[in-house]
Amino acid sequence: MLSPEDANKIIDAFLSPMWYFVTSQEDKDEIHRLAEELRKASGQTSDG
């Protein structure tokens, strides 16, 4: 299982900066989806 700390590091270091860089809503939605998948994989949501 992915630790919550590692998931948050990936989100903070890569996905969050990418969200501000991309211009299309489709890209922003995909980045958001990936962040949510990381949260699920690390047990941070009840969906995972």
Side-chain angles (χ1 to χ4, degrees):
M1 180 182 264
L2 184 64
S3 75
E5 293 81 12
D6 286 346
N8 290 335
K9 285 179 185 178
I10 294 168
I11 292 167
D12 292 343
F14 298 102
L15 295 180
S16 290
M18 282 179 56
W19 192 89
Y20 290 102
F21 179 76
V22 300
T23 57
S24 76
Q25 187 60 49
E26 182 180 355
D27 289 339
K28 289 180 185 292
D29 291 346
E30 178 63 4
I31 291 167
H32 178 75
R33 185 192 71 78
L34 292 170
E36 287 300 306
E37 289 299 319
L38 284 169
R39 291 182 186 104
K40 286 181 203 176
S42 66
Q44 294 184 66
T45 67
S46 59
D47 297 338

